[in-house]
Amino acid sequence: MKFEIPEQKKLVYQMTIPIRWGDMDAMNHVNNTTYFRYLETCRIDWMRAAGCMPDPHGSGPVIVNAFCNFYKQLEYPGDVVMKMYVSDPGRTTFESWATLERADQPGVIYAAGGATTIWVDFPKQKATTLPDWMRELVS
């Protein structure tokens, strides 16, 4: 199964994360689970910057699926530049996407991933309409 990042998307955030020695596995490259941590870190940092952290007594974002395509092996030492995009807002959901590059090789995509986010009313444990301010951010 392979998912592709759509051409129609909006760049909303960019950050750099150092590759840590402990991110590598026995094969001396970044372990596949670590890519998901990198993607999560970027997504959460963007959400914090956008002011959309979940409110357990109200509403907020929940990831309902996530994926990552691995194109090249990341290895220590180095820095990962992540670019985060959003697209396809629906009534209760939107898509987020990210590319991972090495800082010393700009434009070379090492991995790309994404997630579907649903807006949830936590007390009711049900999906709810995206707030207007969030819809504007992801449109």
Side-chain angles (χ1 to χ4, degrees):
M1 180 179 304
K2 187 174 181 182
F3 295 95
E4 296 297 329
I5 294 180
E7 288 198 28
Q8 294 288 345
K9 60 192 177 297
K10 177 181 173 182
L11 178 64
V12 291
Y13 196 73
Q14 181 172 321
M15 70 180 298
T16 302
I17 293 180
I19 299 170
R20 301 170 304 173
W21 175 258
D23 292 344
M24 293 191 305
D25 59 20
M27 300 301 292
N28 289 324
H29 60 262
V30 172
N31 184 274
N32 63 317
T33 62
T34 304
Y35 288 77
F36 283 94
R37 281 280 180 215
Y38 292 164
L39 293 167
E40 174 188 56
T41 298
C42 188
R43 191 171 49 248
I44 294 298
D45 279 8
W46 168 68
M47 287 183 176
R48 281 189 54 197
C52 67
M53 294 305 288
D55 173 6
H57 304 291
S59 65
V62 172
I63 301 303
V64 293
N65 71 26
F67 76 93
C68 185
N69 295 327
F70 307 96
Y71 302 120
K72 295 176 65 91
Q73 297 175 4
L74 287 169
E75 298 173 344
Y76 175 88
D79 292 314
V80 179
V81 176
M82 291 180 291
K83 296 177 183 174
M84 176 143 174
Y85 305 87
V86 291
S87 71
D88 304 313
R91 186 181 70 77
T92 63
T93 64
F94 66 92
E95 303 296 326
S96 63
W97 316 90
T99 58
L100 286 72
E101 311 172 4
R102 284 185 61 100
D104 59 359
Q105 292 185 312
V108 177
I109 306 297
Y110 276 68
T116 300
T117 302
I118 189 166
W119 207 261
V120 172
D121 178 316
F122 293 113
K124 292 181 182 176
Q125 293 290 297
K126 293 184 91 170
T128 189
T129 303
L130 282 175
D132 291 339
W133 62 268
M134 188 65 194
R135 180 173 303 286
E136 187 173 320
L137 280 176
V138 300
S139 293

